[in-house]
Amino acid sequence: MDSNLFSRRRAERFAQLLDEANGGRRHHVRSRADDQLTALVAVGRRLAVAPPAVQVDPEFRTGLRAMLLATAEREGIGAPAEPSSRRSADAGRNRLLPAVTARRARARGAILVGVAAGAVALSGISAASENAVPGDALYGMKRSTERAQLALASSDVSRGQLFLDFARTRLAEAAALRGDEDGFSAVLDDMDADTRQGVRLLTTAAAQRSDPAALDAINSFLTGQRRAVGGLLDDAGRADRDRTRRSLALLDAARKRSDALRAAIACGLPAPAGSDALGPAPASCPGDR
């Protein structure tokens, strides 16, 4: 592997190939480096499907985490937006600089995600972090892996389904943190946020397409999730019960929204103009008034 593998052009092409391999749109171009990069993409996909079962040396794990954090900081991944006053002051100067297109910005993010995902899969850290909970050393890597999955998702429907999967994961973490009032509540806050994001993306897709298929994923999630969240009430203290009931209320609200939107699609109502945290808010069908 030569030292110029991750030059800008190769990085952008690698990002395109990763995007295509994960279901994204095809880019009708070809690069002289495609043979080499395609082989790397294939290796990455094999590792993602069947990660090797290896024991990770603690020093390597610490070093890898430091490398990923340093790369993210250098590339500006996750950096807060500049204040508007500073953007205005720099506007004149920025006109003299080459424009960084959305495609190039995405390519830079995708190449970092690709390298990180490959390194994580190869080292076994991804598998090792699956059962991590807040406070564990690998919990940050677990959440970073989730962000990488979102970055590589090919559609809003895929992202919506991923958020619902993450909500299930947060539920398992909450079960492990019962008795820790602050930790339990914080994880349920994250679970509810993932639920809202997933429901909003899927209801929006259903309304835009006038197709209830995306709502099936919501209802399937809600059926199992409500039963499991209800299980957190067993032997729970008062504070944990009160917090759990708020999550149950959100799931019930999501079910009502999904059912209302399904009915609106069935009776041919136009796409709702209003929206909130759970997505489009449809009007009632004439016969329901």
Side-chain angles (χ1 to χ4, degrees), residues 146-185:
E146 292 177 354
R147 289 192 290 272
Q149 290 177 271
L150 288 171
L152 293 175
S154 58
S155 69
D156 283 347
V157 170
S158 297
R159 279 185 282 275
Q161 292 172 329
L162 279 173
F163 273 116
L164 297 186
D165 286 341
F166 300 157
R168 293 186 183 98
T169 300
R170 302 289 85 79
L171 174 59
E173 294 167 3
L177 291 173
R178 294 175 67 176
D180 175 358
E181 183 177 326
D182 292 338
F184 181 82
S185 181

Side-chain angles (χ1 to χ4, degrees), residues 72-280:
E73 181 178 357
R74 184 175 66 249
E75 296 293 337
I77 305 299
E82 293 183 3
S84 57
S85 58
R86 181 174 176 181
R87 289 198 302 269
S88 298
D90 291 344
R93 182 181 63 186
N94 288 343
R95 292 193 190 97
L96 302 178
L97 300 176
V100 179
T101 64
R103 179 180 61 82
R104 180 165 296 171
R106 185 182 181 202
R108 291 175 64 192
I111 188 63
L112 177 59
V113 167
V115 174
V120 168
L122 185 61
S123 65
I125 291 179
S126 180
S129 69
E130 286 181 359
N131 296 321
V133 298
D136 290 350
L138 290 181
Y139 190 68
M141 180 60 68
K142 179 180 181 177
R143 298 301 292 266
S144 295
T145 301
E146 292 177 354
R147 289 192 290 272
Q149 290 177 271
L150 288 171
L152 293 175
S154 58
S155 69
D156 283 347
V157 170
S158 297
R159 279 185 282 275
Q161 292 172 329
L162 279 173
F163 273 116
L164 297 186
D165 286 341
F166 300 157
R168 293 186 183 98
T169 300
R170 302 289 85 79
L171 174 59
E173 294 167 3
L177 291 173
R178 294 175 67 176
D180 175 358
E181 183 177 326
D182 292 338
F184 181 82
S185 181
V187 170
L188 288 190
D189 287 345
D190 288 346
M191 180 186 76
D192 290 351
D194 288 336
T195 298
R196 292 188 190 93
Q197 287 271 42
V199 170
R200 180 179 59 81
L201 286 168
L202 292 170
T203 54
T204 299
Q208 290 175 342
R209 303 173 184 181
S210 295
D211 183 352
L215 302 178
D216 294 338
I218 295 176
N219 289 357
S220 176
F221 161 78
L222 292 173
T223 298
Q225 189 79 347
R226 198 189 190 290
R227 181 169 55 248
V229 172
L232 296 177
L233 294 171
D234 297 339
D235 301 322
R238 180 174 179 178
D240 285 357
R241 284 200 305 271
D242 290 344
R243 181 60 192 83
T244 300
R245 289 190 181 105
R246 296 211 305 271
S247 292
L248 288 171
L250 171 63
L251 296 175
D252 291 341
R255 170 70 75 172
K256 289 181 180 178
R257 179 60 53 85
S258 175
D259 291 346
L261 189 55
R262 187 184 297 274
I265 292 172
C267 67
L269 289 180
S275 183
D276 58 20
L278 294 177

